[in-house]
Amino acid sequence: MPHYLISFEKGSMDHFAEEDWPVVGKAAHAVVQEAIDAGVYVFGGGLDYENNDVEHAVVATDGMITDGPFPETKELIGGFMIVKVPTRDDALQWAAKQATACRCAQDVRKFMRDPELDI
């Protein structure tokens, strides 16, 4: 069965007031719990950017380590959920639930199947 990455960019949830965070968090956790209960949840979470203290790095094929991208850039993922569902439409339905809960658009991508691992 295919795996799908449902994600949103860092900063996508910056548009609502601080006092809304508990409500948004509760709604997002409810979607995750629903996915767990449905048996489709694989893994997920928000990425830690507290106080812009990002320890993000890129490791090149030659082993060279470069810091970045940095929190100011748009390339960083803010959070994600991986689901294992039969169809793209199923993944889109989970993304719609998470978009409503998080109050931001969600990106949906299908993982390549690796027949050697078949997990």
Side-chain angles (χ1 to χ4, degrees):
M1 191 174 317
H3 289 75
Y4 291 86
L5 171 69
I6 300 171
S7 64
F8 59 91
E9 288 184 358
K10 180 191 172 297
S12 295
M13 296 173 66
D14 292 348
H15 63 279
F16 48 85
E18 186 71 28
E19 60 268 11
D20 290 341
W21 274 102
V23 174
V24 172
K26 185 174 183 177
H29 288 123
V31 173
V32 170
Q33 188 60 57
E34 183 181 353
I36 291 168
D37 294 344
V40 301
Y41 182 83
V42 176
F43 183 76
L47 299 177
D48 187 4
Y49 298 108
E50 189 71 27
N51 300 316
N52 290 331
D53 184 20
V54 177
E55 294 187 39
H56 182 242
V58 175
V59 181
T61 56
D62 64 0
M64 172 73 81
I65 299 170
T66 307
D67 291 335
F70 298 99
E72 306 82 46
T73 65
K74 296 282 184 186
E75 293 86 30
L76 297 176
I77 293 176
F80 68 96
M81 178 170 73
I82 299 171
V83 294
K84 185 176 182 181
V85 292
T87 68
R88 180 176 185 269
D89 285 341
D90 292 323
L92 294 174
Q93 288 176 12
W94 284 105
K97 291 178 184 190
Q98 199 61 291
T100 300
C102 292
R103 303 180 188 179
C104 65
Q106 303 289 305
D107 184 39
V108 179
R109 296 183 185 202
K110 183 179 178 182
F111 283 94
M112 291 177 18
R113 184 175 173 275
D114 186 340
E116 290 186 27
L117 297 178
D118 202 29
I119 52 174

